[in-house]
Amino acid sequence: MNEFDPLFEPELSRLDAQHWLRQCRVIESACAPEIVYQGRRLILMASNDYLGLANHPAVKEAAAQAIRQYGIGAGAARLISGTQPPHHDLEVALAKWKDAEAALCFGSGYLANLGLLSSLAGPQDIILADRLCHASVIDGCRLSRARLRIFHHADVDHLERLLKRRPAVRRTLIVTDGLFSMDGDLAPLSALARLANQYEGLLVVDDAHGTGVMGAHGRGSLEACGVEADVPFHMGTLGKALGTSGAYVVGSETFVRFLVNTARTFLFTTSPPAAMAAATIAALELLQREPDRRARLWANREVLFQGLIRMGLRLTATASPILPVIIGDEALALGVAQALLERGIYAPAIRPPTVPKGSSRIRLTVTAEHTREHLDQVLHAFQDILASRSLT
Ligand SMILES: Cc1ncc(COP(=O)(O)O)c(C=O)c1O
């Protein structure tokens, strides 16, 4: 307690009264299908480590080897003296994987979205963004100071109405997540690309969750929707299916040079450690060399999805390993998360402002490393909870 606390307490009390208050929970083990929390072994159903690479021996060894060679910190921003061979090699590997001319890495997806959107747009421009875009996308739009219009989620007709009504601007951006993080559904990328073309706009896709998961080769939502050749650049993150940390933008060489020179979240921040880049190179190799991981992920997804549906639980229109069980009320969602915890399942309640009011949910995420026993235990836990309270 100190004399300044009264400045902050009212806000905390308000959040608490709404059941919106959050706090960090300390997980006492590595990110894996089974974790240790408060000394208990639990099944983790909340990570984005879709392919099980976050704790993979080859990925960890690549980081350890790079630490031995390059140390921990890069010591400066990328453009000063913070670019070491793994940074360069990762960008080459990402560009090759995506069949793009070039790639640029950022310290996180949040930073990539702020940098990308504020470089692309300014006060003389307009951005049309899907209502369910990630917070970092919305913050990037705001930072750009462009006019911002929100279209109904995945509603191409609404977007087109807004496009027709837009004022004369220098540049029009259509912005969407590829795979929506809290609903698990795919954006209508083919229709969005068509509209971008028709109205001379730029389509900006955040494929944080699609990367490594969607598409026949795991190249992401653009691959899944068959629009890789139609979208000139896009971003994705490295902290989800690739199991490491950071983000990338892929596009033409000119576009990447433009970002290197304009994206403030690239220019004015210390370079991520070379070890992280080395680990990501190893993860990217595994992703490409072991398609089986993706096959296991999708098989697991199907088992859990079908089981939840059979129970009559209300899910979003998910098309991915993100399986959100809609509860609605914040307090009830917290109660279900607690009941799951008591049954050995770690899957926190997702509440506003992360999701719209009244749509609080248990967001289950499946990974390639979950076993059939893990998934059965999750289904049993839900069955048990349903026996004592109504969730539908
Ligand atoms: C759609 C989306 N974009 C961006 C981010 C931010 O990425 P990062 O965690 O690397 O900052 C996330 C999640 O964290 C996300 O779900």
Side-chain angles (χ1 to χ4, degrees), residues 57-71 86 274-275 278-279:
V59 178
K60 292 194 287 189
E61 185 45 40
Q65 150 64 23
I67 286 174
R68 284 191 288 273
Q69 193 165 354
Y70 299 107

Side-chain angles (χ1 to χ4, degrees), residues 93-373:
L94 284 164
K96 183 161 181 245
W97 178 50
K98 291 279 189 165
D99 197 21
E101 280 178 23
L104 186 69
C105 288
F106 288 75
S108 74
Y110 195 101
L111 291 173
N113 278 331
L114 293 195
L116 179 64
L117 290 157
S118 60
S119 284
L120 279 170
Q124 63 278 54
D125 301 318
I126 190 165
I127 303 180
L128 302 113
D130 187 289
R131 189 170 87 89
L132 295 190
C133 277
H134 188 258
S136 59
V137 173
I138 298 300
D139 291 355
C141 295
R142 289 182 179 145
L143 188 64
S144 75
R145 295 184 292 136
R147 273 176 254 207
L148 178 60
R149 304 275 184 276
I150 303 293
F151 59 91
H152 303 324
H153 177 52
D155 187 337
V156 182
D157 294 335
H158 186 217
L159 170 62
E160 186 159 22
R161 287 200 299 279
L162 294 177
L163 280 165
K164 281 185 176 148
R165 283 211 306 263
R166 76 195 190 287
V169 286
R170 179 191 68 157
R171 202 175 269 168
T172 299
L173 264 54
I174 298 171
V175 181
T176 185
D177 288 12
L179 185 70
F180 288 90
S181 54
M182 293 300 139
D183 282 48
D185 57 332
L186 258 177
L189 290 179
S190 172
L192 297 180
R194 184 177 46 71
L195 283 181
N197 185 38
Q198 189 177 336
Y199 290 89
E200 294 176 357
L202 281 170
L203 176 59
V204 183
V205 181
D206 170 344
D207 206 21
H209 289 272
T211 302
V213 170
M214 305 304 290
H217 303 90
R219 284 198 303 271
S221 305
L222 281 80
E223 186 192 13
C225 295
V227 294
E228 283 173 296
D230 306 320
V231 182
F233 56 82
H234 68 276
M235 69 77 73
T237 61
L238 307 173
K240 301 185 190 330
L242 281 154
T244 58
S245 182
Y248 66 87
V249 176
V250 285
S252 72
E253 215 174 289
T254 303
F255 184 64
V256 164
R257 242 175 338 112
F258 164 74
L259 288 180
V260 165
N261 285 279
T262 60
R264 294 168 67 85
T265 56
F266 175 81
L267 284 155
F268 301 116
T269 186
T270 298
S271 170
M276 195 57 76
T280 309
I281 293 171
L284 190 56
E285 279 167 13
L286 284 166
L287 184 153
Q288 293 173 88
R289 205 172 56 232
E290 299 181 354
D292 221 38
R293 286 183 180 275
R294 222 167 28 260
R296 287 206 305 279
L297 167 67
W298 281 95
N300 281 347
R301 184 264 180 201
E302 216 40 40
V303 169
L304 194 59
F305 176 74
Q306 295 299 344
L308 295 167
I309 292 288
R310 265 198 302 279
M311 262 180 254
L313 288 166
R314 195 175 135 215
L315 266 63
T316 56
T318 176
S320 71
I322 300 169
L323 300 175
V325 178
I326 300 290
I327 309 292
D329 177 71
E330 287 89 359
L332 184 56
L334 284 171
V336 174
Q338 181 58 32
L340 285 168
L341 200 61
E342 284 157 15
R343 289 161 180 78
I345 316 294
Y346 187 98
I350 308 289
R351 294 161 285 154
T354 310
V355 294
K357 229 173 157 200
S359 75
S360 289
R361 62 198 67 184
I362 303 295
R363 175 181 177 271
L364 300 170
T365 46
V366 191
T367 75
E369 298 291 281
H370 283 113
T371 62
R372 187 58 198 253
E373 290 69 37

